Amino acid sequence: MTYCLGIITNDGLVMAADSRTNAGVDYISTYQKLFDFSHPGERVLLLCSAGNLSVTQGVVSELEKDLKVQEDTNLHNITSMYEVARYIGGKLRKIQEYDEVWLKKDGIEAQCSLLLGGQIQGQNPELFLIYSQGNFIHATSDTPFLQIGETKYGKPILDRTLSYNTNLESAAKCALLSIDSTMKSNISVGPPINLIMYEKDSLAIKHRLRLRLGDPYLAKIRQLWEESLKQAFDCIPHINWQHREDDSPENILID
């Protein structure tokens, strides 16, 4: 399992991924899950992967091959992010169709998913979640983040702090805390963590971070976050055990 997320805001994009891969409790490996296919000055293309490692590696290899041999259709000549998502979805179907029968013979799941984020010159940044079937959805101003892999532990902080108008630095900080919260609760997610922050219309990656296991900065972030949570918890009033339902006849809706 792994955990990847993408965030889109009015100012740009944040993409983040852990690097842990499991093949049972006695075999844990590290593989890169965040890939940069950008062509600086013309387009930025970032891809995160989760699920069956052989399938996702096959997709990445196909994308790289098409670029190397300059296929008529490749990541650097497709004219819209929507078409890029369709192209990658087609590659995903191709690899799965080739391998799925043999994987199923041994009870191995071929399921996987991808996050695609980026911007092509003259267009707005976009963020897509590509499903195992090759179809996809895109993030919107109402839903400015997408997740794949082990999503549940890192979602609460995203739900409570993010909006489309969140500044980009805060979105990046939120992404890092979301991944750290997931690592704290699930051993199948772990460092190194790869984090990229992309500024809208820059058409170049200027902010990139890789945090290894044992990194002092990562340890500091976790410590500060845990201390802040404990302080916030202590500020919450004690439960009013004398409260009765008919004491508050009005309804207050909580989103």
Side-chain angles (χ1 to χ4, degrees):
M1 187 54 73
T2 191
Y3 177 43
C4 308
L5 75 152
I7 300 169
I8 188 166
T9 76
N10 191 50
D11 300 321
L13 286 162
V14 174
M15 302 285 284
D18 82 317
S19 301
R20 181 163 291 177
T21 297
N22 286 47
V25 294
D26 59 348
Y27 185 77
I28 297 176
S29 300
T30 297
Y31 288 95
Q32 182 178 341
K33 303 291 180 65
L34 175 55
F35 304 91
D36 183 1
F37 291 98
S38 302
H39 190 307
E42 201 275 326
R43 64 185 62 200
V44 165
L45 296 173
L46 302 168
L47 191 70
C48 293
S49 63
N52 185 287
L53 186 62
S54 68
V55 174
T56 56
Q57 285 187 337
V59 172
V60 170
S61 295
E62 284 281 322
L63 299 175
E64 292 174 336
K65 176 183 70 68
D66 286 357
L67 283 172
K68 184 176 181 179
V69 302
Q70 290 294 291
E71 283 285 348
D72 291 341
T73 301
N74 64 65
L75 289 175
H76 289 173
N77 62 24
I78 300 174
T79 58
S80 72
M81 288 298 297
Y82 174 83
E83 291 299 331
V84 171
R86 286 185 60 85
Y87 163 73
I88 295 175
K91 294 292 186 183
L92 179 53
R93 281 194 294 266
K94 175 184 174 182
I95 297 295
Q96 285 185 316
E97 288 170 2
Y98 187 83
D99 291 343
E100 190 171 20
V101 173
W102 301 100
L103 290 171
K104 284 187 174 180
K105 284 180 180 291
D106 290 319
I108 300 173
E109 283 289 335
Q111 295 277 316
C112 57
S113 51
L114 304 166
L115 288 180
L116 167 68
Q119 181 179 22
I120 294 175
Q121 188 176 31
Q123 303 173 29
N124 290 322
E126 294 187 75
L127 175 65
F128 296 87
L129 192 165
I130 304 173
Y131 294 108
S132 196
Q133 295 80 6
N135 60 323
F136 52 85
I137 61 172
H138 66 90
T140 68
S141 57
D142 292 325
T143 309
F145 67 88
L146 295 171
Q147 304 166 279
I148 55 175
E150 187 57 71
T151 62
K152 56 184 176 290
Y153 300 108
K155 191 172 185 291
I157 184 175
L158 302 175
D159 285 333
R160 290 182 180 273
T161 61
L162 272 182
S163 77
Y164 186 70
N165 294 315
T166 300
N167 71 72
L168 205 52
E169 285 284 356
S170 294
K173 179 169 60 176
C174 188
L176 182 56
L177 290 173
S178 179
I179 289 188
D180 181 71
S181 297
T182 305
M183 291 193 301
K184 178 74 172 178
S185 299
N186 192 314
I187 62 170
S188 71
V189 176
I193 296 171
N194 290 291
L195 179 69
I196 289 177
M197 184 177 75
Y198 168 67
E199 297 173 349
K200 181 179 178 180
D201 296 331
S202 65
L203 297 174
I205 303 298
K206 301 176 182 178
H207 300 91
R208 188 191 308 263
L209 189 64
R210 181 175 172 86
L211 298 172
R212 59 175 172 78
L213 178 66
D215 190 292
Y217 176 68
L218 183 58
K220 180 181 179 181
I221 290 294
R222 173 170 291 189
Q223 179 185 3
L224 289 173
W225 180 233
E226 289 181 351
E227 289 174 356
S228 298
L229 284 175
K230 290 174 182 176
Q231 291 172 8
F233 176 79
D234 289 339
C235 289
I236 300 296
H238 292 306
I239 295 174
N240 178 11
W241 296 106
Q242 305 305 314
H243 177 77
R244 294 292 180 268
E245 184 177 3
D246 53 8
D247 290 342
S248 304
E250 76 278 8
N251 291 322
I252 300 175
L253 298 179
I254 303 175
D255 61 11

